[in-house]
Amino acid sequence: MSSVRPKRSDVHHPEPDGQVVPKLCESCEARHRGVCGALPGDDLLRLSKISVRKTLKSGESVVCDEDDVISFSNVLNGVVKLSKLLPDGRQQIVGLQFAPDFLGRPFRAESHLTAEASGDVHLCSFPRAEFESMMRDNPELEHRILAQTLEQLDEARDWMMTLGRKTAREKIASYLLMIARHSAPQPPSGQGVAIDLPLSRGDMADFLGLTIETVSRQMTALRKAKVIEFDSARAVRIPSLRALERAAGE
Amino acid sequence: MSSVRPKRSDVHHPEPDGQVVPKLCESCEARHRGVCGALPGDDLLRLSKISVRKTLKSGESVVCDEDDVISFSNVLNGVVKLSKLLPDGRQQIVGLQFAPDFLGRPFRAESHLTAEASGDVHLCSFPRAEFESMMRDNPELEHRILAQTLEQLDEARDWMMTLGRKTAREKIASYLLMIARHSAPQPPSGQGVAIDLPLSRGDMADFLGLTIETVSRQMTALRKAKVIEFDSARAVRIPSLRALERAAGE
DNA sequence: CCGGATCGTTGACGCAGATCAACGTCGCTG
DNA sequence: CAGCGACGTTGATCTGCGTCAACGATCCGG
């Protein structure tokens, strides 16, 4: 892909429609499926100038409970866990953010959430104040944030059903199903789907309101029932999504 | 409150700032704390002309699972349960809407939620298409919807913690606390707070991921522990919010 | 190649909450 | 006021999942 275009391609270059796109954003998923798609070229340039790429190692946190949030981010790749902590140490993961999700809580300075990388994560991070001011200028940007927030609300409510009313086994199956749907755009191949599990058994437990031991036992039970197959502890094949859906109680 | 103003007050009358406010909306809470506050006089008039007040008796549903949603509403008073159903009949309530909450899911025609009145409910209802077109014209309206959606997402995530990690007793205490905070703006009075419980024991069970029997037992247990007092099954006094918070695990 | 750390699995046992069952209380209607 | 249905309480018993404990697998640095 070396350019046939002239110099200065280090900063930006024209899009087909004549828009200027910052180099940094060229191949960024957030520009297509994420919130940045709302931004016209000049706003994107403004934002890209104040944004910075960050790499988080597994377990590092973006935002901690009680922190004042001073920046927002887009998830470029990897998985970010959103979790809550009770005073006595019990933990619940309340959401997972995949690329190109937007990370942040507009209109509120401090968060009661912890956002932590599960596995290595790349972020595109920008100052909160600047982004909120762009939201005020740019209704389309706010519109995208709203659309994503509504999606997340739907997901959270699905998960409330899972947490409140499903058995341990159904919870595990529901989680596997969610990961499968997130990783495979669709499974046209005849022989089932192969997925990588982004969470440890401990994190799965915190996500599903279970213990590590129960997670492990139910994974084994699903394997024995031939609903899933193990390539390793973190890599699973699903012969039939139908069967998995049935196991998830849906 | 007979008017000192001239005729035509049946349709609308001027606000202090010269804005015209439809009669229907004059005393409506949604115009102050709810989404309609975003609308300038003429838009409010446009909306009021196509909106209609509805009264639902306890148990009647606004929207059913799989329905195509053709209207949105504001809750004027009462409580609306949002619930989900599993194919085998298990039910989970995933949210409660109080006045002046907005009811509806923009940008999606069909809902996987059932919205049902808990006790009698008054709604102000308007056609979906018209409202969405007003959202496009009016960024401030979309902004309010976003703000409310973010609040609901926060609440949903709090509830995920409750469902996933709290004991039956803590769940009940958390619910009572939520109702107390919703009904009493603040409790300056020395002798605790009195609250009415909008949900039956069965609905509390569906909200908390428990059974009726466990709800009943834990209510009794909290009473015996002097955390709450009963006036009747549906009317409770809370001598100390602190004690209730402790019982809720916070 | 070994020792430790981290992660996952498996087993034995106990308990919180589900299930099954009976009964009390209210409000409505005939 | 009798009879019925919806709602709530309480007791006895059962069970799914948590708890405690031991052990296997993998990876790492020395």
Side-chain angles (χ1 to χ4, degrees):
Chain A
M1 319 304 187
S2 68
S3 183
V4 283
R5 255 180 242 97
K7 59 245 76 176
R8 290 295 318 189
S9 72
D10 57 312
V11 173
H12 51 67
H13 73 127
E15 285 253 286
D17 62 355
Q19 285 280 16
V20 169
V21 168
K23 183 81 173 177
L24 184 71
C25 307
E26 255 177 30
S27 64
C28 176
E29 262 208 289
R31 211 184 93 241
H32 303 296
R33 298 192 293 127
V35 292
C36 293
L39 295 171
D42 50 346
D43 277 346
L44 195 58
L45 188 58
R46 170 150 81 108
L47 186 60
S48 76
K49 279 185 173 148
I50 54 170
S51 69
V52 35
R53 301 240 171 169
K54 289 185 184 169
T55 301
L56 300 180
K57 296 232 163 285
S58 185
E60 286 183 324
S61 57
V62 204
V63 192
C64 278
D65 204 353
E66 310 298 335
D67 268 11
D68 275 8
V69 183
I70 54 159
S71 66
F72 292 154
S73 306
N74 285 313
V75 179
L76 302 182
N77 72 57
V79 179
V80 174
K81 304 176 285 186
L82 303 180
S83 62
K84 285 176 166 275
L85 214 55
L86 246 30
D88 63 7
R90 279 175 287 177
Q91 188 173 179
Q92 175 70 44
I93 294 179
V94 297
L96 297 179
Q97 309 278 85
F98 301 83
D101 287 350
F102 173 82
L103 210 61
R105 170 62 166 94
F107 323 136
R108 177 158 300 173
E110 125 262 10
S111 145
H112 293 262
L113 284 173
T114 299
E116 194 181 332
S118 166
D120 293 356
V121 167
H122 291 251
L123 297 179
C124 179
S125 207
F126 27 81
R128 173 195 171 78
E130 189 80 7
F131 189 82
E132 287 199 342
S133 113
M134 291 178 76
M135 277 178 67
R136 274 188 292 276
D137 300 347
N138 193 330
E140 172 63 14
L141 182 56
E142 187 154 299
H143 181 84
R144 295 239 181 171
I145 298 281
L146 173 57
Q148 184 190 301
T149 305
L150 285 164
E151 293 289 336
Q152 288 182 7
L153 184 56
D154 289 344
E155 285 168 25
R157 286 174 169 168
D158 279 342
W159 224 248
M160 286 175 69
M161 165 58 92
T162 300
L163 288 171
R165 287 300 183 200
K166 291 189 181 176
T167 65
R169 178 151 166 183
E170 290 169 330
K171 286 178 180 181
I172 299 286
S174 300
Y175 169 75
L176 295 174
L177 205 51
M178 189 206 70
I179 297 298
R181 287 177 175 152
H182 241 285
S183 56
Q186 85 284 42
S189 70
Q191 258 49 254
V193 200
I195 57 178
D196 283 312
L197 304 182
L199 299 188
S200 69
R201 297 294 189 265
D203 283 338
M204 285 173 64
D206 282 341
F207 192 34
L208 298 169
L210 301 170
T211 60
I212 294 184
E213 295 93 326
T214 299
V215 169
S216 186
R217 272 189 259 270
Q218 296 302 331
M219 289 287 286
T220 303
L222 286 173
R223 176 170 54 74
K224 287 184 176 160
K226 306 220 185 292
V227 178
I228 56 176
E229 296 162 17
F230 283 31
D231 290 333
S232 78
R234 292 288 194 102
V236 168
R237 263 170 302 113
I238 301 165
S240 155
L241 279 179
R242 263 311 137 70
L244 188 59
E245 282 167 8
R246 250 177 284 116
E250 309 203 332
Chain B
M1 317 317 180
S2 69
S3 181
V4 283
R5 254 180 242 99
K7 59 246 74 176
R8 288 298 317 191
S9 72
D10 58 311
V11 172
H12 50 66
H13 74 125
E15 284 253 287
D17 63 354
Q19 285 282 17
V20 169
V21 169
K23 184 81 173 179
L24 185 70
C25 306
E26 256 178 29
S27 63
C28 175
E29 264 208 288
R31 212 185 91 242
H32 303 296
R33 299 192 293 127
V35 292
C36 292
L39 295 170
D42 49 347
D43 276 348
L44 196 58
L45 188 58
R46 170 151 80 108
L47 186 60
S48 75
K49 279 184 174 150
I50 54 170
S51 69
V52 36
R53 301 241 171 169
K54 289 184 184 169
T55 301
L56 300 180
K57 296 233 164 283
S58 186
E60 287 183 323
S61 58
V62 203
V63 191
C64 277
D65 204 353
E66 309 300 334
D67 267 11
D68 276 7
V69 182
I70 54 159
S71 65
F72 293 154
S73 307
N74 285 312
V75 179
L76 302 182
N77 71 56
V79 179
V80 175
K81 304 177 284 186
L82 304 180
S83 63
K84 284 175 166 276
L85 212 56
L86 247 29
D88 63 6
R90 281 175 286 177
Q91 187 172 179
Q92 175 70 45
I93 293 178
V94 296
L96 297 179
Q97 308 279 84
F98 301 84
D101 288 350
F102 173 83
L103 210 60
R105 170 63 166 93
F107 323 136
R108 178 157 297 175
E110 126 262 10
S111 146
H112 292 261
L113 242 49
T114 298
E116 194 181 331
S118 168
D120 292 357
V121 167
H122 290 251
L123 297 178
C124 180
S125 207
F126 27 81
R128 172 196 173 76
E130 189 80 8
F131 189 81
E132 288 198 343
S133 113
M134 291 179 76
M135 277 178 67
R136 275 189 292 277
D137 301 346
N138 193 331
E140 172 63 15
L141 181 56
E142 188 154 300
H143 181 84
R144 295 239 181 169
I145 298 280
L146 174 56
Q148 184 190 300
T149 305
L150 284 164
E151 294 288 338
Q152 288 182 8
L153 184 56
D154 289 343
E155 282 168 28
R157 286 174 168 167
D158 279 342
W159 222 249
M160 286 176 68
M161 164 59 91
T162 300
L163 288 172
R165 286 302 184 198
K166 290 189 182 176
T167 64
R169 178 149 166 184
E170 290 169 331
K171 287 178 179 180
I172 298 286
S174 300
Y175 169 75
L176 295 174
L177 205 51
M178 189 207 68
I179 297 297
R181 286 178 175 150
H182 241 286
S183 56
Q186 86 284 44
S189 69
Q191 259 50 254
V193 199
I195 57 178
D196 283 311
L197 304 182
L199 299 188
S200 70
R201 297 294 189 264
D203 284 338
M204 285 174 63
D206 282 341
F207 191 35
L208 298 169
L210 301 170
T211 59
I212 294 185
E213 295 92 325
T214 300
V215 169
S216 186
R217 273 188 257 271
Q218 295 302 331
M219 289 286 287
T220 304
L222 285 173
R223 176 170 55 74
K224 286 185 177 158
K226 307 219 184 292
V227 178
I228 57 176
E229 295 162 18
F230 282 33
D231 290 333
S232 78
R234 292 290 194 100
V236 167
R237 263 170 301 114
I238 301 166
S240 155
L241 279 179
R242 264 307 138 74
L244 187 58
E245 282 166 9
R246 251 178 284 118
E250 310 204 334

